[in-house]
Amino acid sequence: VMSVAAVGSNENIASFSTYNSQTEIAGPGVSVKSTIPDNRYTSYSGTSMATPHVAGVAALVWSHFPTCTNYQIRNVLIKTAKDKGTSGC
């Protein structure tokens, strides 16, 4: 399990996003386009939009390196994410 924060296009933590010492990584979570019924799109914001981005990257990494453990995938995500400074609140 990873704690995921939401960031906007400015790469700043969204005002609604939880961010504390347990937050490990962030993903796009402000005004993210999503599909809705009748072949339409809308924008949503939330960590529920950010988390699938992080999970998707983890899945892509794992698909290229299927012998890696979940621990190794997690470490790769953390080490290759852009460092935004001091962790926690």
Side-chain angles (χ1 to χ4, degrees), residues 13-41:
I13 298 293
S15 61
F16 57 80
S17 183
T18 299
Y19 184 69
N20 56 41
S21 62
Q22 295 180 18
T23 304
E24 297 178 80
I25 197 162
V30 177
S31 298
V32 177
K33 294 286 187 192
S34 186
T35 57
I36 58 174
D38 299 321
N39 291 326
R40 295 182 302 145
Y41 296 89

Side-chain angles (χ1 to χ4, degrees), residues 56-79:
V57 171
L60 285 170
V61 172
W62 192 27
S63 73
H64 288 277
F65 303 97
T67 59
C68 286
T69 66
N70 60 330
Y71 179 77
Q72 291 170 315
I73 300 294
R74 172 197 216 106
N75 282 338
V76 166
L77 293 182
I78 292 169
K79 288 180 190 275

